[in-house]
Amino acid sequence: MGLFFHLLYAGQFPIIKYEWYYMNIKMGNDIKVFNDEKVIIKMRSAGKLAKKVLDYIEEYVKEGVTTDKLNDVCHNFIINNSAIPAPLHYNGFPKSVCTSVNEVICHGIPGDYVLKSGDILNIDVTVILDGWYGDTSRMFKVGKCTKLADNLIEVTKRALYVGIDAVKPYGYFGDIGKAIQQYIETTGYSIVRDYGGHGIGNYFHGEPFVAHYDTGSRGPQILPGMFFTIEPMINVGKFKTKLLKDNWTVVTVDKSLSAQFEHTIFVNENGVEILT
Ligand code: MF3
Ligand code: CO
Ligand code: CO
């Protein structure tokens, strides 16, 4: 399809203009827009609960605790709040949250790993409440961390908010990665390219793919009524990723530290509402 239009219009429009147009119809059509206030209320509740899980787990994150224990505490909290942990059995994922320690970028599987002082980890929680999804993650520190780890965490959190600030109703998804990249280039760290944010709603992962780096493309338009996540993964070293043999755990190829923060957001006519 893209090639077809390319040949057809190559002589009439600047290629770059055609590509934006192509991206808009190709991807924009698939992004759901929700206008029902009842839906927004449900998404707010799901987001709020996901945030509460992260608040609740904080005091459990300490030296000597296994990531399995953190998983179980989150699982029980979610169930006790009439919700379902979305990761459990999602494409065969065996646990209820993701725990990504040190050089693990994302999708770490909770297990018998015992946290030690100096570790940093991301806990990623997604709840399904009354059929609607709330997806959020943040970093936790175990005991005393290095200055490098502290700085990476601060930079990554800032990257998330730089991305959120770039979201404007009637703006473009490409603005998000562009803004994050502009910021991250000042730090010397790198932005993971192989994984990104996503549309969300009464489904876990939908269109669009939200890149956290500058793809060089404007991407689809951001419209009021869209729900999506922004979840930059920032590495101290190179951006390249490797999937471990468990088919879930994603690590940095160069074994450098990685951090991530995630929010689910809603776009309205006036701007952005952070739901988590
Ligand atoms: N919560 C992750 C995200 O932000 C997805 C985890 S999928 C799982 O999109 F299967 F690994 F849990
Ligand atoms: Co997500
Ligand atoms: Co998530």
Side-chain angles (χ1 to χ4, degrees), residues 49-263:
L49 177 60
K51 177 206 186 303
K52 268 169 80 176
V53 179
L54 291 178
D55 292 342
Y56 183 76
I57 198 63
E58 173 151 29
E59 65 172 295
Y60 291 88
V61 181
K62 49 182 186 233
E63 241 182 295
V65 168
T66 64
T67 49
D68 250 344
K69 168 74 181 173
L70 300 177
N71 177 81
D72 295 351
V73 172
C74 289
H75 177 92
N76 291 331
F77 186 89
I78 292 165
I79 295 296
N80 290 337
N81 282 274
S82 318
I84 299 163
L88 188 59
H89 305 139
Y90 173 78
N91 290 150
F93 192 79
K95 298 283 175 163
S96 298
V97 298
C98 298
T99 51
S100 302
V101 183
N102 297 334
E103 75 283 357
V104 179
I105 295 169
C106 63
H107 304 164
I109 304 173
D112 56 14
Y113 179 79
V114 180
L115 294 173
K116 59 179 196 310
S117 182
D119 283 344
I120 61 168
L121 77 153
N122 173 280
I123 303 179
D124 192 337
V125 169
T126 311
V127 302
I128 313 171
L129 183 63
D130 204 10
W132 298 85
Y133 288 67
D135 188 5
T136 184
S137 81
R138 66 173 81 133
M139 297 302 295
F140 297 86
K141 301 179 204 176
V142 183
K144 183 109 189 78
C145 294
T146 63
K147 278 214 171 86
L148 180 68
D150 278 345
N151 188 251
L152 175 67
I153 289 172
E154 284 320 302
V155 163
T156 307
K157 189 189 228 168
R158 177 118 174 248
L160 170 58
Y161 286 96
V162 164
I164 293 172
D165 281 346
V167 175
K168 308 280 179 233
Y170 307 105
Y172 290 86
F173 278 96
D175 302 339
I176 298 167
K178 226 170 155 174
I180 294 174
Q181 183 160 326
Q182 198 178 34
Y183 167 57
I184 289 300
E185 275 173 2
T186 68
T187 67
Y189 299 152
S190 69
I191 307 163
V192 170
R193 296 174 170 232
D194 297 339
Y195 301 86
H198 49 91
I200 188 166
N202 51 354
Y203 46 88
F204 200 166
H205 296 112
E207 291 290 330
F209 174 82
V210 180
H212 302 114
Y213 67 101
D214 186 358
T215 62
S217 167
R218 186 169 67 162
Q221 194 169 30
I222 298 172
L223 297 175
M226 288 180 175
F227 295 103
F228 57 93
T229 73
I230 303 182
E231 45 184 301
M233 289 142 274
I234 305 297
N235 301 345
V236 163
K238 300 269 176 352
F239 66 76
K240 279 193 113 182
T241 70
K242 185 177 120 182
L243 185 64
L244 296 190
K245 290 211 180 68
D246 62 19
N247 259 302
W248 281 107
T249 311
V250 180
V251 300
T252 54
V253 164
D254 60 13
K255 299 191 167 61
S256 68
L257 279 183
S258 184
Q260 178 178 31
F261 283 83
E262 172 176 28
H263 276 313

Side-chain angles (χ1 to χ4, degrees), residues 1-22 25:
M1 194 70 164
L3 183 65
F4 177 73
F5 280 121
H6 181 95
L7 293 172
L8 201 62
Y9 293 121
Q12 293 166 46
F13 297 114
I15 299 289
I16 191 100
K17 193 165 179 186
Y18 140 74
E19 280 176 350
W20 288 345
Y21 177 64
Y22 170 70
I25 50 167

